[in-house]
DNA sequence: CGATGTACCTTGCTTTACAAGGTACTAAGT
DNA sequence: ACTTAGTACCTTGTAAAGCAAGGTACATCG
């Protein structure tokens, strides 16, 4: 694994969490479906070994709540929905990210572009 | 440490690396000075325990090169400068980050803002 | 009854940020 | 001379996250 590939892994840390929260802003979703949707987002990508622990963390922190729904075409689905705290936290995270990116731009944007 | 504080730590991973590379686009710098400059960037912040291993990785990967310069007001300074590979890699990283952020916006920007 | 698709979860590995500590040089107090 | 503070580098140990790989279980189709 070369430097750039490894970097893309590292840069996901944190951003994936926000990615999932933002996806849940659209409405409740179940895990397997979240994976498919995130895979479609250019630059992202996620596997089960990443998503399920991530969702557990979000639930443990009270940012999401779950409900089980029977499915006629397979095993039961666990739907995740944002709590009020989750919506508030995701807003704060988006703001903080914006601040960081602005800071990043002040560095390499001094005289270029 | 609460969820948000921990998230800010996680989101630095990868971004800090790019932050330092972008700072070096301005010209060669030595470690102690990089710390002071990054501390001034809103949203960022870095300590010695983070920067020195980070710089070692960049050098090991051939993205930067170093030279020692004696100082009359303290210990010798180790100046870091980007190599050609380093400039190329930082450009690729900036592009990839832009792609990721665009993807992130397509998620929570569907009907909001 | 095997294979495929759906859907969940866990284990082990690697990488990183950070706090804390360590070394060493210079200069200014006391 | 001794101590403190500022500069400047580096290392160690801990916690957290992504990911490959594997495991379980239900449904459907051949």
């Amino acid at each position: 694994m070369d430097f750039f590939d490894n970097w893309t892994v590292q840069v996901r840390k944190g951003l994936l969490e926000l990615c999932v929260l933002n996806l849940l802003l659209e409405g409740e979703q179940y895990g397997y479906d979240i994976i498919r949707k995130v895979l479609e987002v250019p630059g992202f990508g996620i596997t089960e070994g990443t998503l399920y622990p991530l969702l557990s963390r979000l639930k443990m922190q009270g940012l999401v709540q779950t409900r089980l729904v029977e499915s006629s075409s397979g095993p039961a689905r666990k739907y995740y929905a944002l709590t009020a705290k989750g919506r508030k936290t995701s807003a704060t995270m988006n703001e903080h990210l914006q601040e960081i990116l602005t800071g990043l731009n002040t560095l390499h944007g001094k005289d270029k572009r």
Side-chain angles (χ1 to χ4, degrees), chain A:
Chain A
M1 190 185 263
D2 72 352
F3 176 82
F4 180 74
D5 285 338
N6 180 54
W7 177 74
T8 62
V9 172
Q10 298 305 324
V11 93
R12 286 178 212 279
K13 305 198 178 180
L15 289 186
L16 263 180
E17 215 140 31
L18 185 54
C19 183
V20 169
L21 285 174
N22 283 344
L23 188 60
L24 288 176
L25 281 172
E26 307 283 316
E28 67 172 6
Q29 322 255 343
Y30 62 97
Y32 200 76
D33 206 36
I34 292 177
I35 291 174
R36 279 192 297 234
K37 287 184 182 167
V38 174
L39 279 179
E40 283 172 14
V41 181
F44 277 95
I46 197 172
T47 65
E48 303 187 338
T50 300
L51 182 68
Y52 289 117
L54 191 162
L55 288 171
S56 295
R57 292 198 305 270
L58 294 181
K59 186 177 184 184
M60 209 165 48
Q61 296 289 337
L63 306 185
V64 298
Q65 55 193 4
T66 60
R67 76 188 172 98
L68 270 176
V69 178
E70 301 283 334
S71 167
S72 59
S73 66
R77 298 166 174 172
K78 193 184 268 185
Y79 279 86
Y80 290 81
L82 285 180
T83 61
K85 185 180 177 189
R87 269 186 293 274
K88 214 164 98 180
T89 303
S90 90
T92 310
M93 286 160 76
N94 279 309
E95 279 166 29
H96 184 79
L97 181 60
Q98 207 55 52
E99 190 189 3
I100 280 189
L101 296 175
T102 304
L104 205 61
N105 282 334
T106 65
L107 283 185
H108 83 311
K110 280 242 177 71
D111 42 356
K112 316 195 168 247
R113 78 177 51 175

